[in-house]
Amino acid sequence: SQPLLDEGDDEAKAVGYHADASKVDAKKFPKYAKGQTCANCQLYAADGGKPSGGCALFYGKDVLAKGWCNAWEKKV
Ligand code: SF4
């Protein structure tokens, strides 16, 4: 595992990363739909059963499985 991405970081803010998907304001982030989380995003790399894992967008940082950002893509 790697250090956790902070939602206050510029690179996080640039894509509207939230550490907790349930706190996303759907008015501010109209792409968000309930049920979307990093855990079910195509760009997420799970780390066993850990609560965080890698994201293709963020080199050297982990994101929370329960997080979300505007680049969310349905896992195929
Ligand atoms: Fe999470 Fe996917 Fe956004 Fe990465 S691209 S932060 S895994 S929602």
Side-chain angles (χ1 to χ4, degrees), residues 4-65:
L4 273 185
L5 178 70
D6 190 304
E7 60 181 13
D9 287 354
D10 286 346
E11 58 178 347
K13 285 200 241 168
V15 291
Y17 172 74
H18 288 64
D20 183 349
S22 72
K23 305 255 163 68
V24 176
D25 180 347
K27 285 195 186 103
K28 275 175 78 180
F29 298 94
K31 279 188 69 190
Y32 174 73
K34 213 174 165 189
Q36 295 177 350
T37 62
C38 292
N40 58 32
C41 170
Q42 180 66 21
L43 282 71
Y44 186 69
D47 186 3
K50 296 206 178 93
S52 63
C55 167
L57 288 186
F58 303 108
Y59 179 78
K61 296 275 175 72
D62 273 0
V63 296
L64 287 168

